[in-house]
Each structure stands twice: as C-alpha cells, then as structure tokens.
C-alpha cells in the first residue's frame, strides 16, 4: 500500500501523479475549445483540475494537523468533482468526444476514491 512506502513529497503520491497527468490532458484538450469559452469553460476546467494538485500539495504540508489535512483533502475532492461537471458540459457542448471525456471522468473517479480513503483514514498519513 502506498502509505507504507517512503514518501518524501506530495509528488510521490500516486493520486497526485494521476491528478497532474489528468490536468495536463485537460489543458491540452481545452486548447481546442472555442474562443468564446476562453473565460468560461476553458478557464474553469483548467482551474479546477489544477486545484486538485495544488490542494494535495497543501494537504501534504499540513499533515501535522489532522483537521487541516482533512480539510485540504476535502477541498481536493470537491475540485475533482467540479472537474467532472465541466467534463459533462464539454461533452454536451460537443467540445470533447464522449470517449475522451469518459476516460478523464474515470480518472477523476479514481482520484476521488483515493482522496476519500485518505480522508477516512487520516491518521495513517499524519506526521
């Protein structure tokens, strides 16, 4: 199990690596969205996907304080769920192919599952 490995930084977390890769995929795909979406869907999906990674980094640094750690992980979970909403909008607006969005949606399901497990077992992660 990951938590038993020697983890030095948040970047060593499998969930972080999945989230980072997914955020980069979203960045590349969102470049193809229409210009009129620049300040709406494009920015929102990029912001929320990146926020998962940023909040994970913050959570990792707050492992001395259980409540702060769990709160940041909860922020990560919320941002990951937000990405899923934006993915649905991108499909409905025909900016993303269904299969592409489905694969990304599955990645965010995996991310959310990992985060929920960490939230439910925070003592395993605390310093």
């Amino acid at each position: 199990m990951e938590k038993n490995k020697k983890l030095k930084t948040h970047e060593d977390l499998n969930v972080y690596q999945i989230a980072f890769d997914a955020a980069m995929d979203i960045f590349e795909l969102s470049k193809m969205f229409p210009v009129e979406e620049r300040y709406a869907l494009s920015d929102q999906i990029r912001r929320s996907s990146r926020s998962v990674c940023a909040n994970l980094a913050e959570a990792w640094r707050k492992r001395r304080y259980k409540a702060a750690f769990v709160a940041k992980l909860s922020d990560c979970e919320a941002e990951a769920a937000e990405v899923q909403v934006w993915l649905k909008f991108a499909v409905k607006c025909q900016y993303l192919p269904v299969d592409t969005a489905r694969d990304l949606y599955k990645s965010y399901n995996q991310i959310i599952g990992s985060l929920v497990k960490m939230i439910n077992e925070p003592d395993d992660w605390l310093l």
Side-chain angles (χ1 to χ4, degrees), residues 53-78:
C53 299
N55 280 304
L56 263 170
E58 288 186 57
W60 185 256
R61 291 296 177 182
K62 293 185 175 193
R63 289 174 297 137
R64 285 180 183 81
Y65 311 102
K66 185 176 184 175
F69 177 65
V70 170
K72 275 294 158 191
L73 291 175
S74 295
D75 292 344
C76 291
E77 181 188 358

Side-chain angles (χ1 to χ4, degrees), residues 72-124:
K72 275 294 158 191
L73 291 175
S74 295
D75 292 344
C76 291
E77 181 188 358
E79 294 290 346
E82 183 179 331
V83 172
Q84 290 180 316
V85 171
W86 297 127
L87 287 169
K88 285 186 170 188
F89 274 108
V91 168
K92 282 289 192 185
C93 295
Q94 299 180 345
Y95 303 152
L96 281 181
V98 173
D99 290 344
T100 301
R102 187 177 290 132
D103 289 343
L104 282 165
Y105 199 95
K106 286 179 186 176
S107 293
Y108 280 92
N109 276 341
Q110 185 179 359
I111 292 163
I112 290 169
S114 295
L115 293 169
V116 168
K117 186 169 173 123
M118 292 173 79
I119 290 166
N120 289 339
E121 300 171 4
D123 292 334
D124 293 340

Side-chain angles (χ1 to χ4, degrees), residues 25-46 83 85-97 100-101 104:
D25 289 344
I26 285 170
F27 173 72
E28 290 301 324
L29 290 165
S30 66
K31 288 179 181 179
M32 296 181 288
F33 291 1
V35 172
E36 63 265 19
E37 290 290 1
R38 179 176 296 136
Y39 300 109
L41 184 57
S42 297
D43 281 351
Q44 289 297 320
I45 197 167
R46 288 176 182 179
V83 172
V85 171
W86 297 127
L87 287 169
K88 285 186 170 188
F89 274 108
V91 168
K92 282 289 192 185
C93 295
Q94 299 180 345
Y95 303 152
L96 281 181
T100 301
L104 282 165

